[in-house]
Amino acid sequence: MTDERTTVDLWFDPLCPWAWMASRWLLEVEKVRPVRARWHVMSLAVLNEGREAQPEERWRGVRVAIAAEQRLGNEVLGPFYTALGTRLHNRAEPYTVETIAAALADAGLPADLVEAAGSTDYDEALRKSHHDGMDRVGQEVGTPVVSVEGVSFFGPVVSPAPRGEAAGRLWDGVLLVAGTDGFFELKRSRTREPIFD
């Protein structure tokens, strides 16, 4: 039996609350539309290089995520991102090596992957993953990047993440506008912070 779901690629940095909101929305979309999320890593540290100093802690989670993907395959990124994002965003835990180690345990991943947090060994693969996402949408945006069937876009920036059929309707609308030739931007000022469950 073949899976008739369409693969939707999402690039995230675990630090970004808006990527977290979009990722939770996409998981809701999976329940009401024939899509399947596939996760990829991008980096706000890479994105902002040359614009401002990048503190070492910005690299920790993305390095560990890439190390996990390199060692165990792409399918571990979703569980790791969910575990780390829940700790960072929903529980407001600090972005420390200890929190990353706890997220690895939550996701059932090897504890020694946390060593990648302070290593540059995976930075080339991190940059490659980051640029794979950014090259689809241009350099004037950030995270998240979503790509489906040749249509790629930044966002959506939404709070709270819609649930159920509301998530599906947003998906339908986003695909409609993003798939329109010549369509580039639809934006309004944010009037609220991310609302986490």
Side-chain angles (χ1 to χ4, degrees):
M1 181 175 185
T2 59
D3 187 350
E4 295 182 13
R5 292 178 172 264
T6 299
T7 298
V8 180
D9 294 289
L10 185 141
W11 280 260
F12 67 91
D13 183 315
L15 264 180
C16 178
W18 299 109
W20 178 248
M21 300 302 295
S23 72
R24 301 309 91 181
W25 161 70
L26 186 55
L27 290 176
E28 283 292 309
V29 174
E30 282 186 328
K31 298 174 186 176
V32 296
R33 297 294 185 269
V35 301
R36 177 185 60 248
R38 181 170 53 195
W39 310 99
H40 304 276
V41 183
M42 65 180 296
S43 170
L44 292 171
V46 172
L47 183 70
N48 292 310
E49 278 182 319
R51 297 183 210 173
E52 57 190 62
Q54 297 306 306
E56 184 62 29
E57 60 266 14
R58 279 199 179 170
W59 296 90
R60 292 175 181 160
V62 290
R63 283 175 170 162
V64 172
I66 286 290
E69 181 182 34
Q70 293 281 305
R71 188 191 302 179
L72 301 167
N74 177 265
E75 62 275 3
V76 303
L77 283 181
F80 175 63
Y81 181 34
T82 292
L84 184 55
T86 298
R87 286 180 173 275
L88 295 177
H89 302 296
N90 295 65
R91 299 182 192 164
E93 293 182 20
Y95 193 44
T96 61
V97 173
E98 292 77 18
T99 299
I100 295 169
L104 285 168
D106 294 345
L109 299 175
D112 68 325
L113 284 168
V114 77
E115 296 169 12
S119 170
T120 60
D121 290 349
Y122 295 93
D123 286 5
E124 183 178 340
L126 171 60
R127 289 176 190 283
K128 184 177 178 182
S129 180
H130 173 86
H131 289 296
D132 183 27
M134 293 304 295
D135 290 350
R136 297 166 191 251
V137 292
Q139 301 303 309
E140 299 86 30
V141 300
T143 176
V145 169
V146 174
S147 186
V148 56
E149 296 185 325
V151 175
S152 303
F153 51 89
F154 160 73
V157 175
V158 61
S159 179
R163 303 289 182 196
E165 186 53 28
R169 285 193 307 273
L170 178 58
W171 175 253
D172 298 340
V174 165
L175 283 187
L176 178 64
V177 297
T180 300
D181 184 48
F183 179 85
F184 298 107
E185 191 169 343
L186 179 68
K187 188 171 182 173
R188 61 183 171 190
S189 297
R190 288 186 289 238
T191 59
R192 67 177 70 144
E193 295 300 313
I195 299 170
F196 306 119
D197 292 339

